[in-house]
Every structure is written in C-alpha cells, then in structure tokens.
Amino acid sequence: MTCPDCGAPTLAFAVPEQYRDALPGESDGAEICTRCLVLRPVADPPAEIPDFTAVGDAVPSNGEAAVPFVLMVGLLPSLATNRAEISELLASVERAGTDPLLALDRLADDPSVDAEADLRTRRRQLEQLL
C-alpha cells in the first residue's frame, strides 16, 4: 500500500496482543509509512513479521524489538497523549536488547526518512520523561 500523506510505500504488520492497547481503534494490526513514519491501524495484517529495515536500517532487525520500536515511533507525534504507551514500548524495546534512544537517533539521521514529528526534538523530550 501507499501512504495517503506522502505517497511512499507502507509496511503492514500484526501487532502482538500485549501492544494492542497502544494502537488507535480496535485493530490487530498496523502499518507504518516508510518515509513519514505515520502509523495507522490495519484490520487484516499479514501473518508474518515483515522486514522492518524497509523503514530504515536503524530499526531493530529482530521482531521482538522492532514491533514495539515501530509502534513507539508512530506514536511520537502525540507524545503527550501517548506518554504511558510510549514508556511501555520503550521498556519493551530495551528488554528485547536494543537501545531505543540510540535507534531513534539513527533513524533521525536516515536521509530517506522525513518523519511527521521532529525525531531529534522528540528524543530529547523522551529523555526528560524517563
């Protein structure tokens, strides 16, 4: 599929039950734009975990860290509203063996990413919240 905001390809994925509260709506899947990083719910996601490096090389390569990381990135534009969910997702990424703030820095440096939210500003705000 393509992003209605910027026209870039999107990446759909199933969201494990423990992270579904972070999604808007009642869907069991989501899609993220590979350029603007807008997150949207998806009613019928694919069964397999996709290659999240299509979003950027900074995204963790293992599914246990990639899914919560991508969800967290998608929620960053509404940091104040999603503070609790973002904190839980950050903790999940860390438990899976990835430094989420370092990965966020690397994603901000990726020239193919033009995120809806200013990732550097959001990273500083995340540090203050934690």
Side-chain angles (χ1 to χ4, degrees):
M1 298 197 62
T2 60
C3 177
D5 294 330
C6 72
T10 61
L11 189 63
F13 57 98
V15 176
E17 197 167 323
Q18 72 258 33
Y19 303 129
R20 289 192 188 147
D21 289 342
L23 282 177
E26 300 294 319
S27 297
D28 58 352
E31 69 177 359
I32 191 159
C33 176
T34 57
R35 182 181 309 137
C36 69
L37 306 178
V38 170
L39 182 72
R40 291 180 186 81
V42 171
D44 191 22
E48 301 95 32
I49 294 177
D51 178 9
F52 284 105
T53 59
V55 175
D57 290 336
V59 177
S61 58
N62 76 53
E64 289 181 30
V67 171
F69 179 79
V70 168
L71 289 171
M72 183 264 309
V73 168
L75 295 175
L76 286 177
S78 301
L79 179 58
T81 307
N82 297 309
R83 181 180 177 176
E85 292 86 352
I86 290 170
S87 293
E88 288 178 29
L89 292 166
L90 280 168
S92 294
V93 174
E94 284 182 327
R95 281 192 300 273
T98 298
D99 180 340
L101 297 180
L102 179 60
L104 191 58
D105 282 341
R106 290 180 179 159
L107 191 60
D109 290 337
D110 188 329
S112 68
V113 171
D114 185 17
E116 177 184 39
D118 180 350
L119 297 180
R120 295 211 179 282
T121 300
R122 293 296 190 221
R123 190 225 191 266
R124 284 191 298 276
Q125 292 169 336
L126 282 173
E127 274 186 316
Q128 293 171 356
L129 291 175
L130 302 175

